[in-house]
Amino acid sequence: QGSDFLPRAALAAGGCCQWLWKAMSLLDGLLAGNAGDLGRILGEHQRQCEAKGDYGEAELARRRLDRMKQQARAKELEVLALQQQSEAHDLQRGMHQQVNDFATDDTKFGRDGLDNMIRQLKTQLAERQSMELQQFASKAVAEKYSAKWPPQVLDMMWRADCLGKQGRYKEAREMQRKVDQAKAAEENRRRQADAAQMSRRRSNFEDRQRSEAAALDMRIAGLLAECSREQHRNQEVLQKRWHNASQNLHFAHSVSARNVAGPMQK
């Protein structure tokens, strides 16, 4: 393959030993990565051939020099493509990592503080409702029953007392029996009425506590929904930022590739 680097006119000419020695030396240098030296020698040989009027050999030298340049640029494009691929991969990986971290890290959306506030609100409501329930039960127990007899019972009590004072004990005992029956009936009616009233009060009390708990749940749901919307907005901003960065990187890569490939296409 080394003979391909040598212009055929130089091989035919007996006085080109010095150029041949340089070319052969350059072959060793090319194997060591010194292709630039060969390019300079071929360029010099092309100019010498043009000066001597050997345009056929000058054209061969120019073609070989162009082929070398194309190979060098192709290699440069290959290296550039690998570098750009690595940069794009790093950008994509960084984007996914940041988006995932941003989505899983609740502190960036204030979820830490929101969760603490929700726990505090629930604790405060539970403590207040427990205290109110104790106060309600204590008040119900502390309420004393005060007997208030209806007029007919009071009338029978007065008549029994009068009969007793008049010495009409048999009639007084009969009237007292009726008074006791009327009192028992009235007390039973009053207990039932008080129990029904207490049941209504307890039901109203429990309904109010359930309404307070439901209102708190609605408030918490609204806070969580707003936090979720804020999270979605932040993710969209982040993704748009990375999309712009990706486009900028793609544009920079395209410019770099055109700068390298441009001379080859000419």
Side-chain angles (χ1 to χ4, degrees):
Q1 296 177 352
S3 60
D4 293 338
F5 291 93
L6 303 176
R8 284 175 288 180
L11 292 176
C16 294
C17 294
Q18 184 177 4
W19 184 93
L20 180 61
W21 179 83
K22 288 183 179 180
M24 294 301 294
S25 299
L26 183 58
L27 287 177
D28 296 334
L30 179 60
L31 297 177
N34 296 326
D37 293 338
L38 180 58
R40 285 191 294 272
I41 292 176
L42 285 175
E44 181 182 354
H45 177 67
Q46 177 185 354
R47 288 189 294 274
Q48 290 177 356
C49 291
E50 291 173 351
K52 295 177 181 179
D54 192 353
Y55 298 113
E57 187 61 29
E59 183 179 2
L60 292 176
R62 186 183 63 183
R63 290 179 180 176
R64 183 55 187 165
L65 184 60
D66 290 342
R67 190 159 56 249
M68 285 181 57
K69 290 180 180 179
Q70 290 177 357
Q71 292 173 352
R73 290 183 183 122
K75 183 64 176 178
E76 186 176 355
L77 280 175
E78 181 181 354
V79 173
L80 180 62
L82 292 176
Q83 178 183 354
Q84 292 179 349
Q85 183 179 2
S86 176
E87 291 175 354
H89 177 71
D90 291 342
L91 179 65
Q92 190 74 11
R93 183 175 58 184
M95 178 188 69
H96 288 310
Q97 184 66 35
Q98 188 172 1
V99 170
N100 291 335
D101 292 344
F102 208 69
T104 55
D105 190 357
D106 292 338
T107 58
K108 288 187 173 60
F109 300 110
R111 278 300 300 270
D112 248 1
L114 179 59
D115 290 341
N116 291 335
M117 185 181 71
I118 290 174
R119 284 192 295 268
Q120 185 177 3
L121 289 174
K122 289 184 175 181
T123 301
Q124 290 176 352
L125 178 64
E127 291 177 350
R128 181 173 61 80
Q129 289 189 342
S130 177
M131 184 178 299
E132 290 177 349
L133 180 59
Q134 292 177 0
Q135 292 174 351
F136 177 83
S138 300
K139 184 178 180 181
V141 172
E143 289 180 354
K144 295 183 179 180
Y145 170 73
S146 58
K148 294 182 179 180
W149 308 115
Q152 60 270 24
V153 176
L154 294 175
D155 180 65
M156 287 189 294
M157 292 172 61
W158 176 78
R159 291 171 60 185
D161 183 64
C162 290
L163 290 171
K165 289 179 180 180
Q166 293 175 3
R168 300 165 63 179
Y169 299 124
K170 184 178 179 180
E171 296 177 1
R173 284 197 302 269
E174 182 63 23
M175 184 59 65
Q176 186 62 43
R177 184 181 64 80
K178 293 180 179 180
V179 169
D180 292 340
Q181 290 178 349
K183 283 184 177 181
E186 181 64 22
E187 288 177 351
N188 184 52
R189 186 194 65 79
R190 181 64 60 85
R191 281 193 298 268
Q192 290 179 355
D194 289 344
Q197 182 181 9
M198 180 58 65
S199 177
R200 288 192 297 270
R201 289 171 58 188
R202 179 176 289 276
S203 177
N204 293 335
F205 176 80
E206 293 174 351
D207 288 343
R208 180 173 61 81
Q209 288 200 332
R210 283 193 293 268
S211 297
E212 291 175 349
L216 179 60
D217 290 339
M218 290 181 60
R219 179 184 177 188
I220 290 174
L223 292 173
L224 292 175
E226 178 59 30
C227 183
S228 178
R229 288 191 292 269
E230 181 67 18
Q231 177 180 357
H232 183 68
R233 286 193 294 267
N234 290 336
Q235 285 181 331
E236 286 183 342
V237 170
L238 183 62
Q239 290 175 352
K240 185 176 181 180
R241 184 188 309 163
W242 281 106
H243 178 70
N244 293 337
S246 178
Q247 286 186 330
N248 292 336
L249 181 64
H250 179 72
F251 177 75
H253 287 174
S254 300
V255 172
S256 299
R258 284 197 300 269
N259 290 339
V260 174
M264 293 177 57
Q265 297 173 354
K266 293 180 180 179

